[in-house]
Amino acid sequence: MISDIVFFLLKKGAHLEPRRITTGEVAEGIGVSQQTASRKLIQLEKEGQISRSQGRIALTQNAILEIKSKLKEILNSLDGTTITFKGKVASGLGEGAYYMRQKHYVKEFNSKLCFKPFPGTLNVSIGEDDIEKRLVLREQKPIVISGFTAKSRSFGRIDAYRCSISGLPGAIIFPERSLHGLQTLEIISPFNLRKKLLLSDGSDVKIEVVKNNPCEPKA
Amino acid sequence: MISDIVFFLLKKGAHLEPRRITTGEVAEGIGVSQQTASRKLIQLEKEGQISRSQGRIALTQNAILEIKSKLKEILNSLDGTTITFKGKVASGLGEGAYYMRQKHYVKEFNSKLCFKPFPGTLNVSIGEDDIEKRLVLREQKPIVISGFTAKSRSFGRIDAYRCSISGLPGAIIFPERSLHGLQTLEIISPFNLRKKLLLSDGSDVKIEVVKNNPCEPKA
DNA sequence: ATTACTATATTACGAGTAC
DNA sequence: TGTACTCGTAATATAGTAA
């Protein structure tokens, strides 16, 4: 993670411009001996995290970028626990059912999503405003369903995110070779959603994704 | 700082609810052996950072608060480099000059702010909107001018922040026993600001404070 | 299967000190 | 002054393995 010493340098503003900072000050700041601080600074310089000249220390651009990326990761985990989409049921192409019947997919969905998918997918058209959320969702680590080849036809991998759709369990899937644009989400579920939720084209649905929310395999 | 292992648990959502995570997974996640992960988890539990039961791990509320506070510190360092106040010159009480003539203060200002203060202070009245900024400023580590006793009169310590006022160097000071409320900032400078900037009561001034901006002592 | 102990190996630390 | 060597010791890691 972000080391004590980089944290200290950050607090000293070493990301803005080179700062006059002695090894003794660093030692004091992070609670180690001067010798250790010296050694660590040498190490950081070797790694390209800091640059030193004339008794001044600066964090490199690389180091700053790394800090920012780590920060983003932490913030992403900490807040915004659920992502919510509102959308309308869209007519499907009938292709989904064929895919959802493939033994390999069924097996993987069952073990990784903890449900046996109904053979069919529900297409949901989301509003312009929710496209950004879609991108946020795609920054999350997906549950990966591997691709395979059967009968000299190859089936691509599928990224999945567990969700609840109007209260029922399911998953948003992103097939590697998707037929849909950014406006459409493809949903699978253990249930026949159209029947169970009495949906028809244009019906409003609410989809909620809880980040970091693995399923519990049945014993 | 935030340890690798806590970072990993955060990513797994262990701050939301207890998660099924094995020592092996943690080991894999942070790049150490299973044994080391086990030992570290035991350590973290002892420190009260995590709780474990039935193979599940959760971050404690304490740990989460700690992460948030560290995060705040980093963000505070990273962004919002300068704090800007807009205000109007207010009439002073004449007290400032007396203080600014005290040898001890002059000496400390000179060594810590790198300028010899003009014997007088400028009071600037800031708008309601800037009061929040004032609080942000006060979260920054000040340059501390120590108090002293002279002629059986005691002079309190002064917190100072280097600033530029309408382009000239100076410092915002917060005397321990301030006579001013939240609406007023007290400014010192090597210059007679009223004369040099042609200021009178009610004149508009702009004050900029750069965070983490120590002065360079003249050789 | 997972966890955590013991023993051994490795790495990191600070004291002393030269530059 | 401040920095960074060497070197003996302390801390921390992994391997092996029992529970």
Side-chain angles (χ1 to χ4, degrees), chain A residues 85-89 122 124 165-166 199 203-207:
Chain A
F85 296 95
K86 279 178 183 165
K88 289 183 188 303
V89 172
L122 186 75
V124 174
I165 173 156
S166 298
L199 302 174
S203 300
D204 287 307
V205 286
K206 189 171 125 184
I207 300 164

Side-chain angles (χ1 to χ4, degrees), chain B residues 87-104:
Chain B
K88 288 181 190 302
V89 173
S91 60
L93 303 166
E95 274 274 298
Y98 175 64
Y99 281 90
M100 283 312 107
R101 263 194 260 270
Q102 297 300 317
K103 278 218 182 73
H104 174 93

Side-chain angles (χ1 to χ4, degrees), chain A residues 37 39 48-49 54 62 78 94 100 111 121 124 177 190-191 197 217:
Chain A
R39 194 156 27 75
Q49 299 229 253
Q54 299 151 218
N62 252 356
L78 269 180
M100 284 312 109
S111 69
T121 65
V124 174
R177 307 160 195 153
F191 305 107
L197 292 171

Side-chain angles (χ1 to χ4, degrees), chain B residues 18-94:
Chain B
R19 300 284 181 183
R20 270 225 159 75
I21 302 172
T22 67
T23 55
E25 284 175 80
V26 173
E28 163 98 42
I30 65 171
V32 296
S33 67
Q34 175 273 322
Q35 294 87 334
T36 297
S38 168
R39 191 163 33 75
K40 290 198 172 209
L41 285 168
I42 292 168
Q43 180 67 21
L44 284 176
E45 195 173 11
K46 266 188 199 156
E47 290 169 5
Q49 300 225 253
I50 62 167
S51 60
R52 303 171 81 182
S53 82
Q54 300 151 216
R56 285 168 201 272
I57 304 175
L59 286 163
T60 62
Q61 214 49 42
N62 253 357
I64 295 165
L65 285 175
E66 202 180 308
I67 293 164
K68 286 188 177 168
S69 115
K70 294 257 170 70
L71 221 61
K72 212 173 146 189
E73 273 190 80
I74 300 174
L75 287 170
N76 184 41
S77 296
L78 269 181
D79 60 39
T81 302
T82 69
I83 304 170
T84 307
F85 297 96
K86 280 180 183 163
K88 288 181 190 302
V89 173
S91 60
L93 303 166

